[in-house]
Amino acid sequence: DGGITQSPKYLFRKEGQNVTLSCEQNLNHDAMYWYRQDPGQGLRLIYYSQIVNDFQKGDIAEGYSVSREKKESFPLTVTSAQKNPTAFYLCASSKNTGINEQFFGPGTRLTVL
Amino acid sequence: KQEVTQIPAALSVPEGENLVLNCSFTDSAIYNLQWFRQDPGKGLTSLLLIQSSQREQTSGRLNASLDKSSGRSTLYIAASQPGDSATYLCAVVRNFNKFYFGSGTKLNVKP
């Protein structure tokens, strides 16, 4: 089955810890995205990558970091500099050509203890 | 900056009713517009995508329309069912890969 997987589904972090959220896709998509969703709000873009070894900051990149060493993988690290990291994190991908329809993973819920 | 608004924020209807969800955006220079469904605690599922050159798209009981000049899109759901209960989000795409999302309409279809 082609799709996007995210792990873990639930993640708990202590104050001052860095944590890494995994995102993998087997859709052969060039572009990948990380969004943050807070209750009652729309999605806000954290980072996106159009191609391997390249990525750009989105609207709320402070306190987050990413890497794109492989086409299939786009991990997100939530650093201790992110003051309010409790949220639902969604990874997405798209072809980056043609119609450019976006597809989403199941999400990771991060809670800071 | 592109602003996307979805009204109403919540909607409750009896089963079988036809309904319309609204999405408005401030900048008409869009690449395409995508409608999604989100179930509680889940990711987004793509429903329909309308390219900027198109006026509407249909899939089963769903029909989405786009009027770029007025900055509006509507999602029409025919003969609603309890299984349609979810949050519906629209996303406007600018510059090919910049997606701007509305905050969604939470739909409840009562049996």
Side-chain angles (χ1 to χ4, degrees):
Chain A
D1 282 339
I4 304 173
T5 57
Q6 292 185 242
S7 62
K9 186 174 182 178
Y10 299 98
L11 185 58
F12 298 91
R13 191 193 92 169
K14 294 182 180 178
E15 294 280 351
Q17 275 185 337
N18 292 351
V19 291
T20 297
L21 283 60
S22 170
C23 178
E24 304 276 333
Q25 56 96 2
N26 61 4
L27 300 169
N28 199 32
H29 286 170
D30 285 312
M32 297 187 74
Y33 312 77
W34 274 107
Y35 294 92
R36 170 181 172 141
Q37 186 178 36
D38 293 285
Q41 297 189 32
L43 279 64
R44 293 184 290 168
L45 181 65
I46 305 173
Y47 270 97
Y48 68 101
S49 168
Q50 297 184 70
I51 197 168
V52 174
N53 292 323
D54 184 56
F55 48 83
Q56 289 81 39
K57 293 182 179 180
D59 300 318
I60 55 165
E62 185 175 351
Y64 300 97
S65 66
V66 293
S67 63
R68 187 84 188 278
E69 297 176 2
K70 298 188 300 181
K71 187 175 184 178
E72 300 81 14
S73 178
F74 191 41
L76 173 74
T77 297
V78 184
T79 75
S80 57
Q82 170 49 238
K83 299 306 179 188
N84 185 24
T86 295
F88 191 49
Y89 290 86
L90 289 158
C91 178
S93 71
S94 66
K95 280 186 179 179
N96 211 32
T97 60
I99 295 174
N100 203 30
E101 186 174 5
Q102 199 169 58
F103 296 90
F104 280 79
T108 292
R109 184 164 300 279
L110 172 63
T111 302
V112 174
L113 301 174
Chain B
K1 183 184 175 183
Q2 180 72 269
E3 300 283 344
V4 181
T5 304
Q6 291 187 249
I7 296 173
L11 182 64
S12 184
V13 301
E15 181 178 3
E17 193 163 295
N18 301 327
L19 57 101
V20 174
L21 306 180
N22 297 295
C23 173
S24 60
F25 46 94
T26 53
D27 188 340
S28 62
I30 66 171
Y31 186 77
N32 60 37
L33 186 145
Q34 196 168 352
W35 280 95
F36 296 89
R37 168 188 173 134
Q38 185 177 30
D39 293 289
K42 306 287 187 181
L44 277 66
T45 299
S46 180
L47 296 174
L48 289 165
L49 181 146
I50 310 177
Q51 297 177 66
S52 63
S53 58
Q54 297 174 323
R55 297 281 294 182
E56 65 178 319
Q57 281 285 342
T58 298
S59 176
R61 294 183 294 108
L62 305 180
N63 175 276
S65 67
L66 174 64
D67 184 344
K68 283 201 317 178
S69 61
S70 66
R72 294 178 63 182
S73 176
T74 60
L75 179 67
Y76 175 83
I77 302 177
S80 59
Q81 304 170 358
D84 294 330
S85 297
T87 297
Y88 291 81
L89 296 100
C90 68
V92 171
V93 188
R94 283 202 67 200
N95 300 329
F96 190 69
N97 56 15
K98 286 297 293 285
F99 292 75
Y100 297 89
F101 285 82
S103 55
T105 294
K106 186 174 183 179
L107 173 65
N108 178 37
V109 181
K110 298 172 289 186

